[in-house]
Short mmCIF file of all heavy atoms in Angstrom, two decimals:
data_model
loop_
_atom_site.label_atom_id
_atom_site.label_comp_id
_atom_site.label_asym_id
_atom_site.label_seq_id
_atom_site.Cartn_x
_atom_site.Cartn_y
_atom_site.Cartn_z
N HIS X 12 -23.84 0.61 -0.39
CA HIS X 12 -25.10 -0.11 -0.22
C HIS X 12 -26.19 0.49 -1.14
O HIS X 12 -26.22 1.72 -1.33
CB HIS X 12 -25.56 -0.02 1.25
CG HIS X 12 -26.69 -0.94 1.58
ND1 HIS X 12 -28.01 -0.60 1.37
CD2 HIS X 12 -26.69 -2.20 2.07
CE1 HIS X 12 -28.78 -1.61 1.74
NE2 HIS X 12 -28.00 -2.60 2.17
N GLN X 17 -29.58 7.81 -3.85
CA GLN X 17 -30.91 8.28 -4.23
C GLN X 17 -30.76 9.25 -5.39
O GLN X 17 -30.04 10.24 -5.29
CB GLN X 17 -31.61 8.99 -3.06
CG GLN X 17 -33.03 9.43 -3.42
CD GLN X 17 -33.68 10.33 -2.37
OE1 GLN X 17 -33.05 10.76 -1.42
NE2 GLN X 17 -34.96 10.61 -2.56
N ARG X 20 -27.35 10.36 -6.17
CA ARG X 20 -26.52 10.95 -5.12
C ARG X 20 -26.16 9.88 -4.09
O ARG X 20 -27.01 9.13 -3.64
CB ARG X 20 -27.28 12.08 -4.41
CG ARG X 20 -26.47 12.71 -3.27
CD ARG X 20 -27.38 13.61 -2.43
NE ARG X 20 -26.70 14.14 -1.27
CZ ARG X 20 -26.30 15.40 -1.14
NH1 ARG X 20 -26.50 16.25 -2.12
NH2 ARG X 20 -25.71 15.81 -0.04
N THR X 22 -24.83 9.04 -0.34
CA THR X 22 -24.81 9.69 0.98
C THR X 22 -23.40 9.75 1.55
O THR X 22 -22.59 8.83 1.36
CB THR X 22 -25.74 8.96 1.96
OG1 THR X 22 -25.50 9.47 3.28
CG2 THR X 22 -25.51 7.46 1.98
N SER X 23 -23.14 10.82 2.29
CA SER X 23 -21.82 10.98 2.91
C SER X 23 -21.56 9.92 3.98
O SER X 23 -20.42 9.66 4.33
CB SER X 23 -21.70 12.38 3.52
OG SER X 23 -22.67 12.55 4.54
N GLN X 24 -22.65 9.31 4.50
CA GLN X 24 -22.44 8.31 5.56
C GLN X 24 -21.70 7.07 5.02
O GLN X 24 -21.20 6.26 5.81
CB GLN X 24 -23.75 7.90 6.22
CG GLN X 24 -24.69 7.12 5.33
CD GLN X 24 -25.94 6.64 6.08
OE1 GLN X 24 -25.84 6.17 7.19
NE2 GLN X 24 -27.09 6.78 5.44
N ASP X 32 -18.72 0.63 14.32
CA ASP X 32 -17.47 0.34 13.61
C ASP X 32 -16.23 0.66 14.43
O ASP X 32 -15.11 0.58 13.90
CB ASP X 32 -17.41 1.15 12.30
CG ASP X 32 -18.36 0.62 11.26
OD1 ASP X 32 -18.63 -0.60 11.26
OD2 ASP X 32 -18.85 1.42 10.45
N GLN X 59 -22.89 -9.60 1.08
CA GLN X 59 -23.45 -8.30 1.42
C GLN X 59 -23.91 -7.61 0.14
O GLN X 59 -23.56 -8.01 -0.96
CB GLN X 59 -22.39 -7.44 2.13
CG GLN X 59 -21.88 -8.05 3.43
CD GLN X 59 -22.97 -8.26 4.46
OE1 GLN X 59 -23.91 -7.47 4.55
NE2 GLN X 59 -22.88 -9.34 5.23
N SER X 104 -17.47 16.07 9.17
CA SER X 104 -16.77 16.90 8.18
C SER X 104 -15.85 16.06 7.30
O SER X 104 -15.83 16.19 6.08
CB SER X 104 -15.95 17.99 8.89
OG SER X 104 -16.81 18.96 9.43
N LYS X 107 -17.79 13.85 4.92
CA LYS X 107 -18.32 14.62 3.79
C LYS X 107 -17.21 14.91 2.77
O LYS X 107 -17.43 14.84 1.55
CB LYS X 107 -18.95 15.93 4.28
CG LYS X 107 -20.32 15.71 4.97
CD LYS X 107 -20.94 17.02 5.39
CE LYS X 107 -22.38 16.81 5.84
NZ LYS X 107 -22.59 16.76 7.26
N LYS X 108 -16.04 15.26 3.28
CA LYS X 108 -14.94 15.57 2.35
C LYS X 108 -14.49 14.33 1.58
O LYS X 108 -14.24 14.40 0.37
CB LYS X 108 -13.75 16.15 3.13
CG LYS X 108 -14.00 17.58 3.59
CD LYS X 108 -12.82 18.10 4.38
CE LYS X 108 -13.06 19.50 4.89
NZ LYS X 108 -11.99 19.96 5.77
N SER X 111 -16.94 13.67 -1.16
CA SER X 111 -16.80 14.59 -2.29
C SER X 111 -15.60 14.22 -3.17
O SER X 111 -15.67 14.28 -4.40
CB SER X 111 -16.64 16.03 -1.79
OG SER X 111 -17.83 16.44 -1.17
N TRP J 275 -30.02 -5.39 7.47
CA TRP J 275 -29.91 -4.96 6.08
C TRP J 275 -28.54 -4.38 5.73
O TRP J 275 -28.11 -4.45 4.59
CB TRP J 275 -31.01 -3.95 5.73
CG TRP J 275 -30.96 -2.68 6.53
CD1 TRP J 275 -31.56 -2.46 7.73
CD2 TRP J 275 -30.26 -1.47 6.20
NE1 TRP J 275 -31.28 -1.19 8.18
CE2 TRP J 275 -30.49 -0.55 7.26
CE3 TRP J 275 -29.48 -1.07 5.13
CZ2 TRP J 275 -29.94 0.73 7.27
CZ3 TRP J 275 -28.93 0.21 5.13
CH2 TRP J 275 -29.17 1.10 6.19
N GLU J 277 -24.77 -4.72 6.19
CA GLU J 277 -23.63 -5.54 6.62
C GLU J 277 -23.97 -6.42 7.82
O GLU J 277 -23.18 -6.58 8.76
CB GLU J 277 -22.41 -4.64 6.88
CG GLU J 277 -21.99 -3.92 5.59
CD GLU J 277 -20.77 -3.01 5.75
OE1 GLU J 277 -20.21 -2.95 6.85
OE2 GLU J 277 -20.39 -2.39 4.74
N ARG J 279 -25.99 -5.90 10.25
CA ARG J 279 -26.34 -5.29 11.54
C ARG J 279 -27.19 -4.04 11.38
O ARG J 279 -27.28 -3.22 12.31
CB ARG J 279 -25.06 -4.97 12.33
CG ARG J 279 -24.07 -4.15 11.55
CD ARG J 279 -22.74 -4.05 12.27
NE ARG J 279 -21.68 -3.64 11.38
CZ ARG J 279 -21.51 -2.40 10.94
NH1 ARG J 279 -22.32 -1.46 11.30
NH2 ARG J 279 -20.51 -2.12 10.13
N LEU J 308 -32.79 11.39 1.16
CA LEU J 308 -33.04 10.63 2.40
C LEU J 308 -32.43 9.24 2.31
O LEU J 308 -32.55 8.56 1.29
CB LEU J 308 -34.54 10.51 2.65
CG LEU J 308 -35.27 11.83 2.95
CD1 LEU J 308 -36.78 11.64 2.87
CD2 LEU J 308 -34.88 12.38 4.31
N PRO J 310 -31.57 5.56 4.85
CA PRO J 310 -31.67 4.91 6.16
C PRO J 310 -30.28 4.87 6.79
O PRO J 310 -29.27 4.85 6.08
CB PRO J 310 -32.14 3.49 5.81
CG PRO J 310 -31.63 3.26 4.43
CD PRO J 310 -31.61 4.60 3.74
N GLU J 319 -30.09 14.84 3.62
CA GLU J 319 -28.94 15.61 3.13
C GLU J 319 -29.36 16.63 2.07
O GLU J 319 -30.31 16.39 1.31
CB GLU J 319 -27.89 14.66 2.51
CG GLU J 319 -27.18 13.78 3.53
CD GLU J 319 -26.06 12.93 2.91
OE1 GLU J 319 -26.00 12.79 1.67
OE2 GLU J 319 -25.26 12.40 3.68
N THR J 321 -27.41 19.83 -0.60
CA THR J 321 -26.23 20.55 -1.04
C THR J 321 -26.66 21.96 -1.39
O THR J 321 -27.66 22.16 -2.08
CB THR J 321 -25.60 19.88 -2.28
OG1 THR J 321 -25.17 18.57 -1.92
CG2 THR J 321 -24.41 20.66 -2.81
N SER J 328 -26.25 17.93 6.52
CA SER J 328 -26.89 16.66 6.87
C SER J 328 -27.69 16.82 8.16
O SER J 328 -27.37 17.65 9.02
CB SER J 328 -25.85 15.55 7.03
OG SER J 328 -24.95 15.87 8.06
N HIS J 341 -25.59 19.08 10.84
CA HIS J 341 -24.20 19.41 10.58
C HIS J 341 -24.10 20.02 9.19
O HIS J 341 -24.69 19.51 8.23
CB HIS J 341 -23.32 18.15 10.65
CG HIS J 341 -21.88 18.43 10.35
ND1 HIS J 341 -21.32 18.26 9.10
CD2 HIS J 341 -20.88 18.92 11.15
CE1 HIS J 341 -20.04 18.61 9.14
NE2 HIS J 341 -19.75 19.00 10.38
N GLU J 345 -17.27 23.27 2.14
CA GLU J 345 -16.09 22.54 1.68
C GLU J 345 -15.02 23.47 1.10
O GLU J 345 -13.89 23.03 0.90
CB GLU J 345 -16.49 21.47 0.66
CG GLU J 345 -17.31 20.36 1.32
CD GLU J 345 -17.42 19.11 0.47
OE1 GLU J 345 -17.42 19.21 -0.78
OE2 GLU J 345 -17.50 18.02 1.05
N ASP J 348 -13.97 25.38 4.88
CA ASP J 348 -13.87 24.51 6.06
C ASP J 348 -14.72 24.99 7.24
O ASP J 348 -14.62 24.43 8.33
CB ASP J 348 -12.42 24.30 6.52
CG ASP J 348 -11.77 23.14 5.78
OD1 ASP J 348 -12.47 22.50 4.97
OD2 ASP J 348 -10.59 22.88 6.03
N ASP J 350 -17.71 24.99 9.57
CA ASP J 350 -18.75 24.00 9.83
C ASP J 350 -19.49 24.36 11.10
O ASP J 350 -19.01 25.13 11.93
CB ASP J 350 -18.20 22.57 9.89
CG ASP J 350 -17.18 22.36 11.00
OD1 ASP J 350 -16.82 23.34 11.66
OD2 ASP J 350 -16.74 21.22 11.17
#
Side-chain angles (χ1 to χ4, degrees):
Chain X
H12 191 275
Q17 183 189 8
R20 178 192 175 106
T22 169
S23 62
Q24 68 176 317
D32 288 329
Q59 300 299 326
S104 288
K107 285 183 170 100
K108 286 179 182 174
S111 294
Chain J
W275 62 272
E277 298 181 2
R279 53 189 163 76
L308 294 167
E319 290 185 346
T321 297
S328 61
H341 179 264
E345 292 195 329
D348 273 358
D350 61 355

